[in-house]
Amino acid sequence: MPKKRSSKKVSPSSARKKAVAKVDNALSPHGGKLVNRVVEDKDKAKRLANKAKVELPIRDQHAREIVSIAYGFFSPVDGFMKRADVASICKKMTLASGYVWSIPIVFDLSDDEIRSKGIKEGDTILLKYQDQPFATFEVEEIYSFDKKLMAVSVYGTDDEKHPGVKRTYQYKDKFLGGRITLINPPIINPPFDKFWYPPAQSRQKFKEFGWKRAVAHQTRNVPHTGHEWLMKGAWFEAQSDVNPNECGILVNCVVGEKRKGDYIDEAIVLSHAALGENGYFKQGTHMVSILLWDMRYAGPKEAIFHAIVRKNMGCTHHMFGRDHAGVGDYYDKYAAHEIFKKIPDLGIKSVLTLEWWYCPTCAEVTYEGLCGHKPQKFSGSVLRSILLDGVKPTRLVMRPEVFDTVMMAADKYGFGNPFVDDKYLNERNPVMTVPPMEV
Amino acid sequence: MAETFPIYVWINEERFAKLQEAGLADKAVEAFAGLKRLEVHANEAQKDELLRRFPGSKCDLSTTRSIELLPRAFKDKLFQKVIEMRRLDPEVVEEALKST
């Protein structure tokens, strides 16, 4: 049966015409300043918590977004969005302030919850996560928004089979907008702790490495050799006007909601680190990090979001390959490449990568357009299928150290399975733990 | 001709021994410098049924147009049917679907 598609198309060109984007280029964060909404001082945190009139438990998605907002990943966003921001994103792909932004960051709540908790505009709410005080939320606005409009504007479709559209339709009746303050910073648990670099720290790390150029690689996959060559190709492009030791690759692994069949998060971060640890990248040219974010699969719109986040982390370049952040066949293969031509300069250069395949004639991973032979195409999904069939991939498609790390992670963190299953979903060690806090 | 969608059954040592025993080792084609796979073809209706029945699976439309991430148990069944029926076309997929 054909998919139900909306006839309404996203129109980045209209965004270009209407938006007056205030963009600071160079290495500055989006909006010019890194947001910091983290309170480390325990007494101050308690005082803020005690001002709150209402307590509200939150779900995982909101907890991850609060952490990402508070540490500045989403700068200049400093809280959950108000109506004007969401409307502006849907209409012009900018925040109300004029800065380019492509995906609404919203806090939904049902009418019943608002009524039963007595939440009003002007209130400060104490948000609780894992049964602990977590953040305060200054509710400046309670509003409704047309969820179909939001879905079509962001995803270019109203098809409920699209996971981002489905998420949007599942939002509750109302949205709350206002600034958040993280009053009880979570502990990032092993093995993720050593990959936790909020923007201020990633920028510091780049300085220590001496990087003048940093190219971001967005991932939610274990690396196969195609990914490795994409990263290497992107590094060459980013490095072209500086010395080789002044350029590095930031692998930024998206850690968020998991679906059955995905690689477990631990396998993803550790296998990327294995590439550096085993000499496929020289020490000091490759850095693995995480981003707490639930993928929206918004294709080109998510590409823009990723560029902004990585700019905030200090990157000067961002690589975008085939079907970036896509799902199914909702977007053209190179939609993410095209959209950057249609928006104002974000201050982070796009490195647009094509498809690297295994060429049996050349006996190496290469680009079809270079060697002209018939390639053997592979993808993350094909690699996952090989592993699911209990077969060890050859080194030309997956480095043996990567395979060994995936299997080690399966034993140590995945209950024997490198892929997400019910047991992992129910019993995995959380990525972050909110420490006890008395208020 | 209507498009068919390959399902790759990757061959480990155990599967290769069974293929040899059945005299079907030549059905396995080499991929990626040393791997072997059977390429079984599903028709459009079977593709849709597989994706419906196994929600974690996907048709990799952007790259290979193959049906990926099918559970090991189904791939084992499909492999068994290839051995029994000695063919790689949608008939095999039909039988595997019937018996799963």
Side-chain angles (χ1 to χ4, degrees):
Chain A
M1 195 163 66
K3 284 175 184 166
K4 188 182 163 199
R5 293 288 170 81
S6 166
S7 57
K8 183 164 182 179
K9 298 281 183 193
V10 179
S11 175
S13 57
S14 63
R16 180 184 48 175
K17 284 172 198 157
K18 290 172 189 168
V20 182
K22 300 170 186 172
V23 175
D24 292 306
N25 292 331
L27 287 171
S28 67
H30 198 46
K33 191 180 165 197
L34 271 185
V35 166
N36 180 358
R37 303 292 309 159
V38 184
V39 172
E40 304 280 0
D41 182 294
K42 287 191 175 6
D43 291 332
K44 188 179 175 190
K46 278 184 189 178
R47 283 199 301 277
L48 287 171
N50 287 328
K51 278 187 189 169
K53 292 177 182 161
V54 181
E55 290 185 1
L56 192 67
I58 56 169
R59 62 176 189 265
D60 295 340
Q61 175 193 331
H62 286 151
R64 287 189 274 269
E65 287 168 0
I66 286 167
V67 172
S68 292
I69 292 168
Y71 281 99
F73 288 91
F74 297 174
S75 301
V77 173
D78 64 358
F80 289 102
M81 291 176 179
K82 292 186 276 187
R83 192 176 207 296
D85 282 324
V86 178
S88 180
I89 289 168
C90 291
K91 192 174 177 190
K92 301 190 292 186
M93 214 165 55
T94 69
L95 296 170
S97 58
Y99 289 106
V100 170
W101 197 274
S102 54
I103 296 180
I105 309 293
V106 292
F107 190 99
D108 59 307
L109 205 60
S110 70
D111 277 324
D112 285 348
E113 286 169 294
I114 292 169
R115 213 173 12 253
S116 68
K117 296 276 184 186
I119 297 170
K120 301 183 301 299
E121 289 178 359
D123 285 351
T124 295
I125 302 177
L126 178 62
L127 301 176
K128 295 186 83 172
Y129 185 55
Q130 298 176 348
D131 288 329
Q132 295 299 328
F134 185 57
T136 57
F137 183 12
E138 299 159 35
V139 181
E140 294 169 49
E141 190 180 16
I142 301 172
Y143 62 98
S144 303
F145 201 91
D146 181 343
K147 288 190 261 188
K148 186 171 176 181
L149 171 65
M150 195 189 296
V152 171
S153 303
V154 176
Y155 302 104
T157 175
D158 60 3
D159 183 356
E160 289 180 47
K161 287 183 191 156
H162 186 296
V165 174
K166 187 176 169 192
R167 181 187 292 269
T168 304
Y169 286 171
Q170 284 172 343
Y171 285 150
K172 295 167 189 166
D173 323 315
K174 291 284 191 324
F175 298 100
L176 277 57
R179 212 158 58 147
I180 60 96
T181 306
L182 182 62
I183 59 167
N184 192 11
I187 295 159
I188 305 296
N189 293 316
F192 304 101
D193 52 345
K194 62 179 179 176
F195 306 111
W196 176 239
Y197 292 100
Q201 278 74 46
S202 58
R203 285 164 171 265
Q204 179 58 35
K205 194 77 183 165
F206 292 179
K207 266 190 197 162
E208 289 167 21
F209 282 139
W211 291 357
K212 291 179 180 167
R213 301 284 181 271
V215 58
H217 172 58
Q218 141 77 28
T219 190
R220 52 195 162 94
N221 244 320
V222 158
H224 53 62
T225 47
H227 296 129
E228 186 186 321
W229 283 101
L230 288 172
M231 286 188 267
K232 288 176 173 171
W235 179 87
F236 277 109
E237 185 161 337
Q239 179 271 327
S240 61
D241 61 347
V242 293
N243 292 323
N245 59 359
E246 292 173 333
C247 181
I249 298 161
L250 178 76
V251 178
N252 196 216
C253 308
V254 171
V255 172
E257 187 180 62
K258 302 301 287 186
R259 298 189 297 186
K260 277 200 270 187
D262 289 345
Y263 280 112
I264 60 173
D265 286 324
E266 294 85 350
I268 297 168
V269 295
L270 292 171
S271 61
H272 271 282
L275 282 178
E277 289 159 3
N278 289 283
Y280 296 106
F281 292 96
K282 194 177 80 172
Q283 201 177 0
T285 60
H286 179 257
M287 173 177 161
V288 181
S289 60
I290 59 170
L291 169 69
L292 300 176
W293 170 246
D294 290 3
M295 282 289 295
R296 303 300 205 264
Y297 304 96
K301 295 292 185 86
E302 192 141 356
I304 290 174
F305 171 78
H306 288 158
I308 292 168
V309 168
R310 277 63 189 245
K311 182 187 179 194
N312 287 334
M313 295 184 77
C315 292
T316 54
H317 294 68
H318 197 302
M319 54 183 278
F320 295 102
R322 168 186 50 77
D323 200 28
H324 185 95
V327 63
D329 59 350
Y330 289 96
Y331 308 107
D332 292 337
K333 273 201 297 191
Y334 293 109
H337 292 200
E338 292 302 313
I339 200 166
F340 284 95
K341 296 175 188 167
K342 298 169 182 168
I343 63 167
D345 179 16
L346 281 178
I348 178 168
K349 284 185 185 168
S350 300
V351 179
L352 307 176
T353 57
L354 299 171
E355 297 166 291
W356 293 67
W357 309 123
Y358 174 69
C359 173
T361 311
C362 301
E364 65 184 5
V365 174
T366 183
Y367 173 56
E368 186 181 359
L370 267 177
C371 74
H373 301 126
K374 189 173 184 319
Q376 289 177 351
K377 294 186 175 185
F378 64 100
S379 66
S381 299
V382 170
L383 259 293
R384 277 196 283 164
S385 287
I386 294 172
L387 297 186
L388 274 170
D389 276 11
V391 173
K392 183 173 181 175
T394 44
R395 62 179 302 120
L396 274 168
V397 289
M398 181 178 274
R399 302 293 190 185
E401 296 89 346
V402 168
F403 176 80
D404 292 344
T405 303
V406 171
M407 292 302 142
M408 178 278 291
D411 285 341
K412 195 168 177 184
Y413 303 104
F415 310 97
N417 190 350
F419 303 106
V420 172
D421 58 14
D422 285 326
K423 192 171 176 65
Y424 181 80
L425 287 174
N426 294 326
E427 298 178 32
R428 70 173 293 190
N429 199 32
V431 175
M432 61 181 177
T433 301
V434 184
M437 177 182 178
E438 285 182 21
V439 292
Chain B
M1 206 168 79
E3 182 180 12
T4 59
F5 300 86
I7 301 169
Y8 301 131
V9 181
W10 296 94
I11 305 301
N12 54 22
E13 284 179 19
E14 185 189 341
R15 283 176 176 169
F16 193 65
K18 285 182 182 167
L19 281 176
Q20 280 184 312
E21 201 177 303
L24 295 171
D26 62 336
K27 297 273 186 199
V29 296
E30 188 170 311
F32 308 139
L35 293 182
K36 286 186 185 301
R37 70 187 182 196
L38 293 175
E39 297 178 3
V40 184
H41 289 265
N43 61 34
E44 178 115 30
Q46 290 168 341
K47 177 202 73 171
D48 293 341
E49 175 61 15
L50 286 164
L51 299 185
R52 188 193 67 77
R53 218 184 271 195
F54 305 112
S57 64
K58 67 183 270 193
C59 187
D60 194 347
L61 291 167
S62 64
T63 316
T64 55
R65 300 193 74 76
S66 54
I67 302 169
E68 300 297 340
L69 309 176
L70 290 165
R72 174 76 179 268
F74 178 76
K75 299 282 273 296
D76 285 342
K77 178 64 71 182
L78 190 61
F79 180 76
Q80 186 190 325
K81 291 293 170 192
V82 169
I83 298 281
E84 285 170 21
M85 298 171 71
R86 309 177 74 81
R87 55 200 296 173
L88 299 167
D89 62 7
E91 294 289 319
V92 185
V93 181
E94 200 61 41
E95 285 305 308
L97 276 166
K98 273 186 205 164
S99 59
T100 303

